[in-house]
Structures are given as C-alpha cells and as structure tokens.
Amino acid sequence: MRTPFVAGNWKMNKTVAEARELVAGMGPALKQVQGVDKVLCPPFVALLAVANLVSGTEIGLGAQNMHWEEKGAFTGEVAPGMLKEFCQYVILGHSERRTYFGETDETVNKKVLAAQKQGLTPIVCVGETLAQYESGQTAQIVRRQVLEGLKGLDLAFAAQIVVAYEPVWAIGTGKASSAENAEMVHRDVVRAALTDLFGEAAAQSIRILYGGSVTAVNAAEFFSQPDIDGALVGGASLKPAEFLAICQAAAQ
Ligand code: 13P
C-alpha cells in the first residue's frame, strides 16, 4: 500500500553541465519505471537546470538542505519558498549536515516545520554513528532523532513525509547494513516511534527508506523487507545504469 520511493542524493557533486549530462543519460529510461516515486536531489545551483529537464515527467526533484526562516539576513542560506519554486522534496537532517555543520534534532525540527508550512515534503534522515552502533545505542539514538525531529507536525502532513534510516557507518563505506538489521530498525524503532507520535494509521502510510551503500546488487534484498519502502542513494545515484537498476528493483 506504500508506493516505493527511491531518491538520489547527489551530495556536493556535479556542475550544471554535468548535471544535465547525467539526467540526459538516465532520464528517458527512468521515466519508464512505473510504480515507484523517483526523486533526484542535485546541489542547489543545479536545481533549475534539472527542474527544466524533468518537468512534465513523473520524476520528482528535491534539495539537500534549507534554512527554516522565510527570508532575511542569513548570508549563504536558502529559504523554503525559494526551493518551492522548483522542488517537491527536501532532504533534512542528513548525517553529514549533523556531523560537519552542527545540525541538531532541534534545528532539524525547525526545518521540518518550515517544510510543512511551505508544502515541501521533507525526507528526514536519522541514523546512529559507528560508536553508537557498537555500544548498542542504535534504538535509543534513532528513536530520539525521530521523536525530536518530527514533533509538532500536523497529522495530515505527517502521513506524507518520508523518513530515511541511514546508519552513519554504512554511508559511503561500501559496508551496507544487513537487510535484516535495517528491517529491525525500520519496524521496531522508526515506525514504532512514528506510531507513538502520529498514531497507527499515519505511521503505516509514511515511507521509510534505507540509506547507506545501496547498490544495484543489494537493493532488491532491502526492498524485500516489509518495512523498507525504498532507498536514499548516494554514490550509486551518480551512475545512471546503477540508479536505474535500483529504481527497477524497487518497482518489483
Ligand atoms: P552512499 O549511498 O554513498 O553510501 O550514501 C548514502 C547517503 O548518504 C544518501 O543520503
């Protein structure tokens, strides 16, 4: 009942020219993949170019971050309303933003509420570090990130958000979580926390993605798990054939 969802997080890769080339390479085949919500998340400066290339298709567009204020003296920041001109989605609270740019559950929550106000669907990232994983704190950390990051949302909006579980130790390492471990966190931690926040019906409609070294080879195993509703793909989203294969795996 939950439509599979696959998003490509390009991170800080691709100039506008390179972004055009990448979308030209995979766009036609990507459009053919039915029954999956497919979303591209290029850097800010490539959003307009990619928006033009995917307009009129079912390929969605997302940003990788935003500020929570509507406008004003915040040099270097991008406001929700600026993204709304091009995007339907915005990635919020990615672990790289938490680690390198000081984002906290509190600032993530401000951004999530700002996304709601603007009608942008947030893809909210949660996940434990290697040290937290090794000391058995995964459930505690991820539960707190979900509860604190998503508090205060309206029920109707909550049902349409997307959550991505990305264990930090699996990001860009080539060491993906096992599908069983990811399923356990999705079901027993993330969806359980969503149920506590928003109730059973809304929690059952929220897509929970797995992220962290997803490839064309391991994607199908993740998607066969009942509570893994798709993927947030980093490195593999920069390779057209690979990203396409992941989207096709989600369609099956
Ligand atoms: P990789 O797929 O490169 O591990 O990155 C995952 C990620 O951080 C997506 O947001």
Side-chain angles (χ1 to χ4, degrees):
M1 67 188 160
R2 293 184 292 267
T3 304
F5 190 107
V6 178
N9 175 9
W10 295 6
K11 307 193 179 184
M12 197 174 73
N13 293 291
K14 304 295 172 187
T15 62
V16 171
E18 290 165 346
R20 284 205 182 99
E21 203 177 319
L22 181 59
V23 178
M26 68 181 166
L30 204 54
K31 283 180 215 162
Q32 308 298 319
V33 183
Q34 300 290 315
V36 181
D37 286 345
K38 302 146 290 190
V39 177
L40 304 178
C41 302
F44 286 132
V45 292
L47 283 173
L48 175 56
V50 176
N52 287 332
L53 290 171
V54 300
S55 98
T57 76
E58 284 174 4
I59 301 172
L61 191 63
Q64 300 172 13
N65 179 36
M66 68 177 193
H67 198 270
W68 58 83
E69 292 288 348
E70 283 174 20
K71 60 177 167 180
F74 301 99
T75 300
E77 291 292 323
V78 173
M82 298 170 184
L83 297 183
K84 181 68 182 175
E85 288 190 292
F86 311 112
C87 299
Q88 302 82 46
Y89 301 93
V90 58
I91 297 171
L92 295 176
H94 192 281
S95 66
E96 287 149 17
R97 300 231 37 103
R98 294 179 192 253
T99 304
Y100 306 130
F101 302 100
E103 294 205 14
T104 61
D105 292 337
E106 192 187 348
T107 58
V108 172
N109 185 241
K110 286 184 182 182
K111 294 180 181 195
V112 169
L113 292 169
Q116 167 176 266
K117 200 167 172 192
Q118 197 56 245
L120 281 163
T121 298
I123 302 170
V124 183
C125 301
V126 297
E128 82 285 7
T129 64
L130 181 62
Q132 291 162 340
Y133 174 71
E134 286 178 337
S135 59
Q137 295 181 78
T138 300
Q140 179 198 334
I141 296 293
V142 172
R143 180 176 168 80
R144 189 206 71 214
Q145 290 173 336
V146 173
L147 293 180
E148 294 299 313
L150 300 179
K151 67 185 177 193
L153 285 180
D154 298 338
L155 206 54
F157 184 77
Q160 72 178 54
I161 68 168
V162 178
V163 177
Y165 169 58
E166 301 202 306
V168 178
W169 46 270
I171 295 177
T173 58
K175 292 181 190 151
S177 165
S178 70
E180 292 73 24
N181 175 66
E183 167 64 15
M184 188 193 64
V185 177
H186 282 223
R187 184 192 57 221
D188 297 345
V189 184
V190 179
R191 206 173 301 284
L194 293 171
T195 304
D196 291 345
L197 270 176
F198 305 121
E200 178 80 15
Q204 286 298 328
S205 70
I206 295 173
R207 269 85 58 90
I208 307 175
L209 317 180
Y210 168 76
S213 298
V214 174
T215 65
V217 173
N218 64 21
E221 204 188 337
F222 285 110
F223 300 153
S224 70
Q225 304 292 325
D227 284 274
I228 299 182
D229 306 312
L232 183 54
V233 185
S237 74
L238 300 170
K239 301 174 191 157
E242 185 99 2
F243 188 64
L244 186 64
I246 294 168
C247 291
Q248 284 164 340
Q252 276 156 19

